[in-house]
Amino acid sequence: MQATLHLYRENVISEIDKRIYGSFIEHLGRAVYGGIYEPEHPTADDEGFREDVLKLIKELDVPIVRYPGGNFVSGYNWEDGTGPKEKRPRKLELAWKTIETNQVGIDEFQSWAKKANTDIMMAVNLGTRGPDEARNLLEYCNFPGGTYYADMRRKNGFEEPFNIKTWCLGNEMDGPWQICAKTAQEYGRIACETGKLMKTIDPEIELVACGSSSLTIPTFGEWERVVLENCYDYVDYISLHSYYNNTADDTSEFLAGSLDFDTFIKSVAAIADSVKAKKHSNKTINLSVDEWNVWYHSNDADAALEPWQIAPPQLEDIYNFQDALLVGCLLMTLLRNADRVKMACIAQLVNVIAPIMTENGGAAWAQTIFYPYLHASRYGRGLSLEVKTSCDCYTSTSGRSVPCLETAAVWNEESKELTIFAVNKCDQPMQLTTSLNGFGSLSVIEHLTMAGYDLKAENNAEHPNNVVPHSDGKTTVDGNEAVSELAPYSWNVIRLKG
Ligand code: AHR
């Protein structure tokens, strides 16, 4: 197959907000307990955080981590996770039917976030609770002192405010599964009034309103419109959540998932802009894709799980090579929509549908999806460029015409590096010819690939390096043209230097 790509230095979609490489840690399964926190682990530091896990997270250079949920937050009392650990209550956790020990709460998490070199995207409970608790939590986290909750934080050993700048107004309030789910009108009003209180306390914070929990939920579209009509003046972002599965074991449909992701993102932006127009507002609401990933491998195990355990294995998807290809495509979709998507969180970070897996008391390793995420976070910073492509298409099982090539390109003015990300979604080799316009003379740094693996190949504790990238791709540059060989079913990172 032959494909072409035209890149122009001047054709910039947007500067990339590095927060699109965010992630998510929920009090769910072994994400916190056995994931980031395990005081008995040989690598645990003096606060009980696993240093082997921290090392992998730092490698990913994760700019922001959403916490503490997810569905969990809609039944959570944040006060339970503060103060002396021995006094913290054990409680039934109704979102995931477990027992929450509260040994980790915001006090510990903010300390962990510093160690992980990341910021926090904090969610407030708009399920069982509401504006009152949200404002108390914000006072606890961000107010310097001299008031009840700020002094409670100081008494707990934290003199300086945590200064958390990004806040989610609840989680998936549109989902019937959510604890105290709401109609769009109910949620829009609560989001407005909660946002009003929170911005009175700290006008510097940014707020994310809950959008739809999937493109296919029946309320999609109308939900965004009604919610934003209610809370437009107080929020800065609208969220969207998107998970992909291959339960049908159909690679052609699975790899087409990024087309739906693109549609979802563009549709939410269009609805947000229609509310903007209707309100005669000058303010643009941008997008926070604060949950996205592949999720399905663990469905059967989760359905069979006994309830009311402490940190049981839940949502422990073991990812394969094919999943890494789709994750690469989803990352490129975020990049091509960098003008509207300013934050995104791969869900989640450790053990729970995550790029990093651990054994309790044992190893930590990188799943297949770790690598496209690593590459995008490392080389996908700078300006996202428009990509004009022509390539063959395949017809998926449902009859969709799917381009065999998916690509995104990033120019980093500081390092003078051009990075072309590309996935070949087909079972034939592809020669990609890229015209390079306005970059000056470029040479190849490296062409990283993940290719040649069985689509079902995985990494595990015994074989953590079964599926890894190699710097063995073939790209040559001649004048203003780069020619790259893209292997069948491959993830490619073509790095050029000016
Ligand atoms: O990430 C797992 C769950 O998926 C989250 O708790 C919820 O928000 C979503 O449905």
Side-chain angles (χ1 to χ4, degrees):
M1 294 186 296
Q2 298 287 334
T4 58
L5 164 64
H6 297 284
L7 293 179
Y8 296 85
R9 162 67 187 84
E10 299 310 318
N11 285 1
V12 174
I13 296 171
S14 169
E15 174 148 13
I16 297 155
D17 190 321
K18 67 175 182 181
R19 296 174 301 172
I20 68 167
Y21 303 120
S23 190
F24 179 26
I25 293 278
E26 178 169 2
H27 281 250
L28 158 56
R30 298 188 309 119
V32 173
Y33 308 109
I36 61 167
Y37 178 83
E38 195 181 347
E40 308 77 29
H41 193 271
T43 71
D45 67 10
D46 54 352
E47 291 182 283
F49 296 124
R50 283 184 67 153
E51 286 187 332
D52 56 345
V53 173
L54 272 169
K55 187 165 172 277
L56 285 163
I57 292 170
K58 281 198 219 158
E59 226 183 292
L60 289 169
D61 195 3
V62 183
I64 195 162
V65 179
R66 188 165 176 252
Y67 177 84
N71 295 341
F72 169 81
V73 80
S74 298
Y76 182 48
N77 292 354
W78 64 270
E79 304 90 330
D80 294 345
T82 60
K85 287 193 178 183
E86 63 286 0
K87 292 202 177 136
R88 295 186 191 179
R90 281 183 175 214
K91 285 199 172 165
L92 288 182
E93 198 292 287
L94 303 187
W96 301 102
K97 294 203 182 125
T98 60
I99 292 174
E100 172 59 49
T101 63
N102 285 304
Q103 292 304 290
V104 170
I106 184 57
D107 292 350
E108 291 74 28
F109 193 73
Q110 63 80 34
S111 177
W112 174 85
K114 282 190 191 129
K115 292 178 178 180
N117 295 332
T118 195
D119 287 334
I120 299 173
M121 180 193 282
M122 188 76 192
V124 299
N125 174 355
L126 293 188
T128 57
R129 307 187 98 184
D132 191 36
E133 289 78 10
R135 58 116 182 222
N136 295 343
L137 174 58
L138 179 60
E139 181 186 317
Y140 183 89
C141 291
N142 285 14
F143 202 70
T147 59
Y148 182 81
Y149 287 102
D151 287 346
M152 185 176 172
R153 180 198 70 240
R154 294 166 72 204
K155 207 171 106 216
N156 288 338
F158 304 96
E159 185 58 34
E160 293 306 316
F162 300 155
N163 221 0
I164 298 172
K165 288 295 166 213
T166 313
W167 294 77
C168 298
L169 295 168
N171 174 71
E172 292 188 352
M173 300 310 301
D174 62 327
W177 58 87
Q178 198 67 209
I179 295 173
C180 302
K182 301 199 171 4
T183 65
Q185 182 62 26
E186 287 166 346
Y187 173 69
R189 287 293 306 132
I190 283 288
C192 170
E193 295 303 326
T194 307
K196 189 195 289 177
L197 298 190
M198 293 177 76
K199 287 209 168 168
T200 303
I201 295 173
D202 186 348
E204 303 281 293
I205 59 172
E206 290 196 313
L207 295 176
V208 185
C210 290
S212 291
S213 49
S214 77
L215 177 61
T216 51
I217 196 160
T219 48
F220 168 66
E222 186 61 359
W223 173 274
E224 280 75 4
R225 182 186 70 74
V226 174
V227 166
L228 285 177
E229 281 184 357
N230 275 282
C231 65
Y232 202 90
D233 292 342
Y234 293 104
V235 304
D236 304 279
Y237 304 91
I238 180 111
S239 73
L240 50 146
H241 292 178
S242 204
Y243 291 104
Y244 297 85
N245 72 68
N246 192 11
T247 41
D249 198 8
D250 182 338
T251 304
S252 74
E253 286 300 337
F254 181 59
L255 293 182
S258 49
L259 305 186
D260 300 324
F261 198 35
D262 193 63
T263 301
F264 194 8
I265 290 169
K266 289 191 165 62
S267 306
V268 174
I271 299 164
D273 289 348
S274 78
V275 179
K276 175 183 179 179
K278 207 168 151 193
K279 283 185 172 283
H280 303 268
S281 174
N282 289 325
K283 173 177 165 186
T284 299
I285 298 289
N286 281 319
L287 275 49
S288 172
V289 188
D290 45 42
E291 289 185 33
W292 67 270
N293 202 349
V294 172
W295 173 9
Y296 73 104
H297 296 282
S298 57
N299 291 354
D300 292 346
D302 289 334
L305 198 76
E306 279 296 310
W308 316 125
Q309 301 182 57
I310 296 172
Q314 286 174 303
L315 281 62
E316 296 206 356
D317 274 38
I318 302 302
Y319 291 113
N320 58 34
F321 175 50
Q322 178 169 239
D323 299 323
L325 294 178
L326 184 66
V327 163
C329 293
L330 299 174
L331 284 159
M332 289 189 283
T333 309
L334 294 174
L335 281 169
R336 291 192 310 273
N337 286 285
D339 54 335
R340 297 310 296 269
V341 178
K342 301 297 173 186
M343 297 191 281
C345 304
I346 188 169
Q348 298 189 9
L349 189 52
V350 187
N351 289 332
V352 172
I353 45 175
I356 297 168
M357 286 301 296
T358 73
E359 288 175 330
N360 289 351
W365 68 97
Q367 296 229 59
T368 60
I369 63 167
F370 181 94
Y371 296 104
Y373 179 33
L374 172 79
H375 294 154
S377 175
R378 198 175 271 177
Y379 305 119
R381 301 195 185 203
L383 303 173
S384 178
L385 302 180
E386 281 178 21
V387 286
K388 306 248 182 273
T389 56
S390 75
C391 64
D392 289 322
C393 291
Y394 70 85
T395 304
S396 74
T397 312
S398 69
R400 292 208 277 182
S401 178
V402 182
C404 294
L405 171 70
E406 179 144 4
T407 188
V410 175
W411 171 250
N412 189 306
E413 184 65 35
E414 232 170 274
S415 60
K416 301 275 183 255
E417 278 184 34
L418 175 67
T419 303
I420 301 164
F421 299 98
V423 163
N424 177 356
K425 298 187 182 183
C426 292
D427 60 1
Q428 300 297 313
M430 179 189 290
Q431 185 172 74
L432 172 66
T433 304
T434 307
S435 73
L436 304 159
N437 305 285
F439 302 97
S441 133
L442 292 169
S443 59
V444 180
I445 305 172
E446 64 178 342
H447 174 166
L448 293 160
T449 67
M450 286 172 83
Y453 296 111
D454 187 296
L455 289 172
K456 301 283 173 64
E458 306 164 343
N459 294 338
N460 53 43
E462 289 74 46
H463 303 285
N465 298 320
N466 210 20
V467 182
V468 290
H470 294 285
S471 186
D472 63 352
K474 289 190 185 60
T475 291
T476 53
V477 176
D478 188 2
N480 287 348
E481 197 170 86
V483 178
S484 309
E485 306 299 333
L486 310 186
Y489 292 124
S490 60
W491 162 250
N492 301 268
V493 183
I494 300 158
R495 300 182 56 220
L496 307 175
K497 176 118 185 127

